[in-house]
Amino acid sequence: MRLAVDVMGGDYAPDAILKGCIDALPLLDPTDELVLVGNKRDIDEILSERAVSDARISIEHASEVIGMDESPVEAVRNKKDSSIVRMALLGSRKAERMCDVVLSAGNTGACVSAATMHMRRLPGVHRPGIAVTMPSFGGAVVLCDAGANPEPRATHLWQYGVMAEVYAKKALGIENPRVAQMNIGSEEGKGTDMVQQVHALLKATPGMNYIGFIEGRDFFDGAADVVVTDGFVGNTVLKLAEGLARSLFHNLAQEFFTRDPDLAMKMEPLFKEVYASKDYHEYGGAPLLGVNGGCMIAHGSSEARTIKSAIKNSKAYINAAVNDAIVQRLAEVEHVAHHLREPA
Amino acid sequence: MRLAVDVMGGDYAPDAILKGCIDALPLLDPTDELVLVGNKRDIDEILSERAVSDARISIEHASEVIGMDESPVEAVRNKKDSSIVRMALLGSRKAERMCDVVLSAGNTGACVSAATMHMRRLPGVHRPGIAVTMPSFGGAVVLCDAGANPEPRATHLWQYGVMAEVYAKKALGIENPRVAQMNIGSEEGKGTDMVQQVHALLKATPGMNYIGFIEGRDFFDGAADVVVTDGFVGNTVLKLAEGLARSLFHNLAQEFFTRDPDLAMKMEPLFKEVYASKDYHEYGGAPLLGVNGGCMIAHGSSEARTIKSAIKNSKAYINAAVNDAIVQRLAEVEHVAHHLREPA
C-alpha cells in the first residue's frame, strides 16, 4: 500500500501530523510506503530531530499551504503547489506512482475539491460525500454526507445511502446496516420534498435495510447504523455534537468541583475515561466516498493519535476493497433512480 | 389577560396539561382568565377530582383531538372541532372574546398551521417562525426557526433574525442581542447561496448587532444570543441537543455505577441537580413569532411544570408587547429586503 499524507494541513500541523505518521510506522507492512507531502526542509528537520530513518518514508515537496480558512475552490485553483493539491495528484490514476490512499487534516473543502478534480469520481457516482463515523451510545453511526455537498440533489443523497451502506458493511463489518434518513419527524410524509424523494428512492432500493426516518433525538441512541443527510445538516450535526459533548463534560466537571471538590477529585479519572471512550480522536479519518481512489479526511484539530488512527483506518479501507464494492453495488441498483433524469 | 390552553395536546395530555394549568393559577392576576380547550366532560371530571373551583377558569368544548403523528395540514383541514383548531380560533381577532395567548403542547405542525390560518400574520410578516430558547453554558440562546418553516426563502430567514432579536430584547431582557446565522463555517463566503443572501440582508439591517456566522461547535458556548436558521436545521439542532444531553447523562451515570457504585451513589444528587439546570422543562413554551396574536408552542413531552413555565412565559410575552415591537421594527427595516421581490 502506498499512502500520501498532507503534513501541512490541520491546526497542529506539521508537528502533530508528522508525529502521527511516525507513530503509525509499526502498523505498516514492510512493503508499504508512506509519502509525506509538504515543505521538504521542515519535514527533513523534524525527521532528523526525531532520529527517524525508515526506507518506507519518502517526501513529496510542496512549497505552498492552503490555510484552514481559505475559500476552497479558489485556493485549489490558485495554489497548484500546495500540499493538498500535490497530495491529490498523488492519488490520481494519472500519477506516475499512484498512492492507494491520500490523507489530510487540512481545509476540508479544499480536500474535497482537489480530490474530486484530480482523482475524479468512481464510475456511476454523481458527487462524492464524506462518511464520518460518530460514536453513539448504541455503537458507531456512519453519517453521510458530513459536509462535502451542502446543496445536494435527491440522487446524490440516495447514492450516499448506497455508498455508506457498502462502507459500513465492508470497512466497519456491520452485517446488515440499518440505513435511515435524517428528518424532522419520524412519520411518513414529514419533511421537505427533497427528503420525500430520497425516501422513495431508498425504499425502492433492492437489498437495502432502509428503516425510514430518524430524528435528532434518536441519533445517539444507536437507532440506525447509517444516516443519510445533506452536507449542511450533516456538518451541523457533527460540529454540534462535538461542541455539546465538550461543553457538557467541561461544565459538569466544573460544577462538581464547585459543589464538592473532594468528590470531584475522586471522580476525575472515571470522568476522563468515559470522555475518552466517546472521543472523536479515536475515530480519526473519514473517507470521501465516491472518488476514484482512497481519500481520507481527518479532523482539523487532529492530534498525533488521530492521524495514527486515520492511517490505520486507511489501510482497513483499502484492504476491504470498498471502492470496488461501491462500483458494483451502484451498477446493481442504478435503475432505481433512472426515472429522475437529473443532471449529475 | 385571557389565555387559552389546548388541554388535549401532548404526550401526557390531558392530565399533565391540566395539572400545569392548575399549578399556574397562583401566577395569574385576579382579572386574568384561563380557557381550557378540550373535551368538557373529561376536563370537568379532572377539575372536580382535584376540587378546583376558580372563577377565572372556563371551558371551551372540543370534541376532536389531533394526534401527535397526524399530517398537520390535513388534520387542521379535517378536524374542525379539534382542540388545536378551537384554540387557534380563540386566538383570532374574529373571536367573540379574543384570547391574548393560546398555548399547546400538541402536534407542532398542526399548531403552526391552525394559528397561521386562523390568527393570520402580523402586518409585514411573510412566514411565522418558532423561537425556542435553549439552555447553553453561556446563557440562553434563542433559535429561530425551530421547525415551522423547513424550506424558507431568504426574506423569511431575515425576518426571523429581526423578530427573534426583538423577542430577545423585549421578553428575555437581553440588552443588545448578538444575532448570528447558523452555517457550516464561520468565514465569509462559506455556505449555500441562501445563507449568503441572508447574510447580506442581516448585515445591511440598521441597528442590528449581527455578528455573522456561527458553527455548531460554538452553539452551546454562548457565542450568540439569537441564532437564525431554517426550520429543518433548527428542528434537527433542537432534537439532537436534547437527545445527546439525555444520552450523555444517562450513560455517564451508568458507567459510573458500573465502575464505582459507592462513588456513583454519592454523586447522584449533584448529577441530578446539574441536569435539571439544563433541562428544557424549565424553559417551557416557544412563541410562534409573526402571528397576529400570541401563540406559544410547548414541548410534546411537556409535564405539568413545563406547562406552568409556559403560562408564566406567555404572560411575560404579552406584558412585554413583543408583537407591537415586531411590527414597528419590521416597518423600520423593510427597505433592506425590498430589492429581493420574492413572493411571500
Side-chain angles (χ1 to χ4, degrees):
Chain A
M1 190 186 83
R2 268 171 70 80
L3 179 85
V5 179
D6 162 22
V7 170
M8 314 306 284
D11 299 336
Y12 309 121
D15 297 80
I17 313 298
L18 267 173
K19 184 169 184 319
C21 290
I22 296 165
D23 293 347
L25 287 171
L27 305 175
L28 299 181
D29 295 320
T31 55
D32 286 345
E33 292 174 53
L34 188 60
V35 185
L36 306 175
V37 187
N39 189 296
K40 189 172 181 331
R41 203 188 304 168
D42 292 355
I43 298 173
D44 274 334
E45 201 180 294
I46 296 176
L47 289 180
S48 73
E49 257 172 33
R50 293 184 177 268
V52 176
S53 157
D54 192 306
R56 296 172 296 181
I57 292 181
S58 62
I59 298 172
E60 171 88 2
H61 180 64
S63 65
E64 293 176 294
V65 176
I66 294 178
M68 299 301 271
D69 295 348
E70 287 190 60
S71 161
V73 179
E74 271 174 58
V76 168
R77 197 185 299 130
N78 297 332
K79 293 189 168 173
K80 296 211 192 307
D81 199 35
S82 61
S83 56
I84 285 179
V85 171
R86 288 268 157 221
M87 174 198 80
L89 286 166
L90 287 172
S92 147
R93 311 226 144 233
K94 290 187 192 152
E96 209 175 308
R97 295 190 61 214
M98 182 192 168
C99 287
D100 304 284
V101 192
V102 302
L103 164 67
S104 175
N107 184 313
T108 299
C111 280
V112 171
S113 176
T116 308
M117 184 183 295
H118 296 300
M119 297 169 67
R120 322 290 299 189
R121 289 167 287 164
L122 286 172
V125 171
H126 290 183
R127 286 282 294 272
I130 301 171
V132 166
T133 303
M134 290 175 75
S136 102
F137 297 102
V141 182
V142 177
L143 177 74
C144 188
D145 167 41
N149 188 3
E151 289 181 281
R153 295 173 183 278
T155 47
H156 304 169
L157 288 168
W158 169 68
Q159 289 198 338
Y160 294 154
V162 175
M163 293 195 292
E165 186 198 30
V166 170
Y167 171 65
K169 271 187 195 170
K170 290 276 176 181
L172 308 182
I174 301 171
E175 212 167 297
N176 190 21
R178 294 156 303 161
V179 179
Q181 191 186 179
M182 199 82 183
N183 199 358
I184 56 175
S186 52
E187 309 84 30
E188 288 273 330
K190 285 253 170 155
T192 62
D193 289 348
M194 170 80 85
V195 164
Q196 286 297 328
Q197 257 189 311
V198 177
H199 185 59
L201 291 173
L202 290 168
K203 268 210 291 197
T205 306
M208 178 181 274
N209 185 12
Y210 178 58
I211 60 168
F213 300 133
I214 187 172
E215 286 187 275
R217 71 176 109 231
D218 304 319
F219 191 92
F220 293 99
D221 287 343
D225 301 300
V226 170
V227 174
V228 177
T229 193
D230 69 61
F232 196 98
V233 173
N235 197 268
T236 302
V237 163
L238 188 68
K239 288 177 179 163
L240 194 85
E242 200 186 308
L244 180 56
R246 190 194 55 206
S247 292
L248 265 176
F249 274 101
H250 181 80
N251 283 274
L252 262 179
Q254 227 168 22
E255 298 245 12
F256 281 145
F257 264 101
T258 315
R259 291 168 196 217
D260 191 339
D262 289 345
L263 188 57
M265 290 294 284
K266 280 189 207 138
M267 259 171 55
E268 207 189 0
L270 278 186
F271 224 84
K272 285 195 169 153
E273 202 184 323
V274 175
Y275 187 40
S277 73
K278 302 296 164 210
D279 186 2
Y280 64 86
H281 289 295
E282 305 298 325
Y283 279 79
L288 180 62
L289 298 179
V291 287
N292 195 355
C295 176
M296 301 289 278
I297 292 171
H299 198 288
S301 308
S302 284
E303 299 170 6
R305 62 197 171 106
T306 331
I307 297 300
K308 188 182 166 189
S309 301
I311 290 175
K312 198 173 125 199
N313 294 346
S314 299
K315 273 197 74 113
Y317 187 88
I318 295 306
N319 289 337
V322 175
N323 282 3
D324 292 346
I326 284 177
V327 172
Q328 198 188 324
R329 178 75 176 135
L330 279 177
E332 207 174 280
V333 298
E334 63 169 348
H335 63 277
V336 171
H338 261 174
H339 65 284
L340 279 183
R341 297 189 181 285
E342 283 174 346
Chain B
M1 189 184 85
R2 268 171 71 80
L3 179 86
V5 179
D6 162 23
V7 169
M8 313 306 284
D11 299 337
Y12 309 121
D15 298 81
I17 313 297
L18 268 174
K19 185 169 184 319
C21 290
I22 296 165
D23 293 348
L25 286 171
L27 304 175
L28 299 181
D29 294 323
T31 56
D32 286 345
E33 291 175 53
L34 188 60
V35 185
L36 305 175
V37 188
N39 190 296
K40 188 170 182 333
R41 203 185 308 166
D42 292 356
I43 297 172
D44 273 333
E45 201 180 295
I46 297 176
L47 289 181
S48 73
E49 258 172 32
R50 292 184 178 268
V52 176
S53 158
D54 192 307
R56 296 171 295 179
I57 293 181
S58 63
I59 298 173
E60 171 87 4
H61 179 65
S63 65
E64 293 175 294
V65 177
I66 294 178
M68 299 300 272
D69 296 348
E70 285 190 61
S71 163
V73 178
E74 271 173 60
V76 168
R77 196 184 301 130
N78 296 332
K79 293 189 168 173
K80 298 216 193 303
D81 200 36
S82 61
S83 56
I84 284 179
V85 171
R86 287 269 158 222
M87 173 198 80
L89 286 165
L90 287 173
S92 148
R93 310 228 144 234
K94 290 186 194 153
E96 209 176 309
R97 295 190 59 213
M98 183 192 167
C99 287
D100 305 284
V101 193
V102 302
L103 165 66
S104 175
N107 185 315
T108 299
C111 280
V112 171
S113 176
T116 309
M117 184 183 295
H118 297 299
M119 298 169 67
R120 321 292 297 190
R121 289 167 287 164
L122 286 172
V125 170
H126 290 183
R127 286 282 293 273
I130 301 171
V132 167
T133 304
M134 290 176 75
S136 102
F137 296 103
V141 182
V142 177
L143 178 73
C144 188
D145 168 41
N149 188 3
E151 288 182 281
R153 296 173 184 277
T155 46
H156 304 171
L157 288 167
W158 169 67
Q159 288 197 337
Y160 293 154
V162 175
M163 294 195 291
E165 187 198 30
V166 170
Y167 171 64
K169 272 187 195 170
K170 289 276 174 181
L172 307 182
I174 302 172
E175 209 166 302
N176 190 21
R178 293 157 304 160
V179 179
Q181 190 185 180
M182 199 82 184
N183 199 358
I184 57 173
S186 51
E187 310 83 29
E188 288 273 330
K190 284 254 170 152
T192 62
D193 289 348
M194 169 80 84
V195 165
Q196 286 297 328
Q197 256 189 312
V198 176
H199 185 59
L201 291 173
L202 290 168
K203 269 210 291 197
T205 307
M208 176 180 276
N209 184 11
Y210 178 58
I211 59 168
F213 300 134
I214 188 173
E215 286 187 274
R217 71 176 111 233
D218 304 318
F219 191 92
F220 292 100
D221 286 343
D225 302 300
V226 170
V227 174
V228 177
T229 194
D230 68 61
F232 196 97
V233 172
N235 197 268
T236 302
V237 163
L238 188 68
K239 288 177 178 163
L240 194 85
E242 199 186 309
L244 180 56
R246 189 193 55 205
S247 292
L248 265 175
F249 274 100
H250 181 80
N251 283 275
L252 262 179
Q254 225 169 23
E255 297 245 12
F256 282 146
F257 264 101
T258 315
R259 291 166 198 218
D260 190 339
D262 289 347
L263 189 57
M265 289 295 284
K266 282 187 205 142
M267 258 171 54
E268 207 189 357
L270 278 185
F271 225 85
K272 285 194 170 153
E273 199 184 326
V274 175
Y275 187 41
S277 73
K278 301 296 165 211
D279 188 2
Y280 65 86
H281 288 294
E282 305 298 324
Y283 281 79
L288 180 62
L289 298 179
V291 286
N292 195 356
C295 177
M296 301 289 279
I297 292 172
H299 198 288
S301 307
S302 284
E303 298 169 8
R305 63 197 170 107
T306 332
I307 298 300
K308 187 182 167 190
S309 302
I311 290 175
K312 199 173 124 198
N313 294 345
S314 299
K315 273 198 74 112
Y317 188 88
I318 296 305
N319 289 337
V322 176
N323 282 3
D324 292 345
I326 285 177
V327 172
Q328 197 188 326
R329 178 77 177 132
L330 279 176
E332 206 174 281
V333 298
E334 63 169 349
H335 63 277
V336 171
H338 261 172
H339 65 285
L340 279 184
R341 297 186 180 287
E342 283 174 346

